[in-house]
Amino acid sequence: MAQDNFSRVTEFILLGLSDTQELQLLSFTLFLLAYAMVLLGNLLIIVTVRTDPKLSSPMYFFLRHLSFIDICYTSVTAPRVLVALLSGHEAIAFEGCITQLFFLHFVGSSEMFLLTVMAFDRYTAICRPLHYTAIMARRACWALVAACWVGGFIHSIVQTLLVLQLPFCGPNTIHSYFCDVLPVVRLACADTALTEWLMASNSGLISLGCFLVLVASYALILAKVRARLSQGHWKPLSTCASHVMVVTLLFVPCIFTYLRPAGTLPSNKYVCVIYTTFSPMMNPLIYTLRSSEVKESMWRL
C-alpha cells in the first residue's frame, strides 16, 4: 500500500537552453529562423520532386520522403521550444512529455533507416548499374520506405514502454529543452541501471549500426569509382559527398548522446540542437547545392 501512496509527477519543468533573458531572446530568434528554413526548404524539395517528371528516379523518391521526415522531426520539438521561449511557460504535462519522447524517436529512427536505404540506393546505382532498375523498382522503393517507418515505430514503442514502467515521484526538472529518454530516466524514483543499459543498447546500437553500414557502403562506392576519378567522372563522388555530410550531422551526435548509460556523462543539450534542428535545416541546402538537377528544377518551378 505504501507504493500506492507516493506522489506521482504530473508535469515536468523544461529548463531550456539558457536562464538569461538576452540569451533566451537570441535562442528564440535562432530557433524561429531555423524552423522556418526547415519548413520552407524541405517543402520546396517535396514540391519540386513531386511536380518535375525528370526527378522520378529512386534517389529523388527517397529524398522527398527524407524532406517530409525532416519536417516532422523538427516539428516535434521546435514549436514547443518557441512557445516556451516566447511565453516563459516551461512546464509540460507528463502525458505531453511521453508523447514528445515517442514521436521524437519514432521519426528520428525512421530517418536513420531511410538514410541507410538511400546509401543502399546509391551503392546499387553505382556498383550494380545493370541491375539497378530491377532492384530499385517503384514497388521495392515503397516497401523500403514502409519498412523504415515500421522499424522506427518498433524502436520508439520499446523506448516509450521502458520509460512508462518507471515510477516518477519527484524531482521533475529536466535539464534540456525537450523530453528525451535519458533526461527523463534520470528523474525516476527507482534503480534505473538496467533500463539505462537497455535504452543504450536500443538507441545507441541502432545509431552505431546504421552508421557503420553507411560508412561501409560509401567505402565500397569509393573503391568502385576510384578508377573513374582519374578520368574526370566526379558526379558519383559528389552525390555521395552530400550524403556523407547528412550522415555526419545526424549520426555522430546521436551516437555520442545515446551510446552510453544515462549517468556516465552529463547530457549536452547543445549537442542535441545539432541533430534535432541543425541537421534537418542543412539537408535542403546540402542536397540542392550538390544536385544540379534539383537546382534546375527549382528554378523552373
Side-chain angles (χ1 to χ4, degrees):
M1 295 296 293
Q3 293 183 350
D4 296 335
N5 294 328
F6 69 78
S7 176
R8 183 173 178 84
V9 169
T10 59
E11 67 177 16
F12 293 105
I13 305 299
L14 299 172
L15 296 184
L17 291 171
S18 175
D19 297 330
T20 62
Q21 186 69 28
E22 293 80 7
L23 288 179
Q24 286 184 352
L25 180 60
L26 178 62
S27 299
F28 175 81
T29 304
L30 294 177
F31 265 96
L32 181 61
L33 290 175
Y35 189 47
M37 290 181 65
V38 170
L39 293 180
L40 294 177
N42 285 290
L43 282 174
L44 182 58
I45 289 179
I46 292 173
V47 173
T48 301
V49 175
R50 182 74 177 178
T51 56
D52 193 339
K54 295 182 179 180
L55 302 179
S56 58
S57 66
M59 181 178 72
Y60 297 113
F61 173 83
F62 293 129
L63 177 59
R64 188 180 72 190
H65 285 275
L66 178 65
S67 296
F68 174 73
I69 287 179
D70 280 333
I71 292 175
C72 296
Y73 189 42
T74 310
S75 298
V76 174
T77 57
R80 176 68 181 74
V81 174
L82 292 173
V83 171
L85 290 171
L86 193 62
S87 64
H89 184 68
E90 301 173 336
I92 181 172
F94 179 85
E95 294 79 7
C97 184
I98 298 300
T99 302
Q100 186 181 61
L101 182 153
F102 170 80
F103 282 104
L104 180 76
H105 282 265
F106 176 32
V107 183
S109 57
S110 298
E111 179 168 5
M112 290 184 179
F113 295 139
L114 183 60
L115 287 171
T116 307
V117 168
M118 293 176 72
F120 173 74
D121 170 68
R122 288 299 84 207
Y123 168 81
T124 307
I126 295 172
C127 299
R128 301 188 64 185
L130 298 179
H131 302 88
Y132 179 69
T133 304
I135 295 175
M136 302 304 297
R138 185 49 61 102
R139 181 175 297 180
C141 292
W142 277 109
L144 289 170
V145 170
C148 293
W149 285 107
V150 172
F153 177 81
I154 294 173
H155 159 75
S156 184
I157 201 68
V158 170
Q159 294 287 84
T160 305
L161 292 176
L162 287 173
V163 174
L164 288 176
Q165 56 88 28
L166 295 173
F168 294 93
C169 52
N172 66 336
T173 302
I174 298 177
H175 294 272
S176 184
Y177 61 94
F178 65 96
C179 290
D180 200 0
V181 290
L182 297 180
V184 172
V185 165
R186 287 193 180 101
L187 304 179
C189 305
D191 182 10
T192 60
L194 178 59
T195 303
E196 291 171 18
W197 279 106
L198 290 174
M199 289 181 170
S201 300
N202 190 358
S203 294
L205 290 181
I206 285 177
S207 303
L208 181 61
C210 291
F211 180 71
L212 293 178
V213 171
L214 287 164
V215 171
S217 66
Y218 292 131
L220 292 173
I221 292 173
L222 183 60
K224 182 71 175 179
V225 303
R226 183 174 54 184
R228 304 180 191 176
L229 298 182
S230 60
Q231 303 173 6
H233 298 287
W234 291 92
K235 185 175 179 180
L237 187 61
S238 176
T239 302
C240 292
S242 63
H243 293 190
V244 170
M245 285 188 280
V246 173
V247 165
T248 303
L249 287 173
L250 178 64
F251 281 90
V252 173
C254 287
I255 292 172
F256 171 79
T257 301
Y258 295 111
L259 194 60
R260 57 184 173 85
T264 55
L265 289 172
S267 62
N268 192 330
K269 52 192 173 184
Y270 299 104
V271 173
C272 300
V273 176
I274 298 175
Y275 63 84
T276 59
T277 304
F278 188 70
S279 176
M281 180 185 68
M282 292 300 296
N283 283 356
L285 296 176
I286 289 172
Y287 280 104
T288 53
L289 292 177
R290 304 296 294 186
S291 174
S292 59
E293 293 89 349
V294 176
K295 286 189 292 185
E296 292 172 1
S297 297
M298 285 183 175
W299 280 114
R300 287 196 299 269
L301 182 64

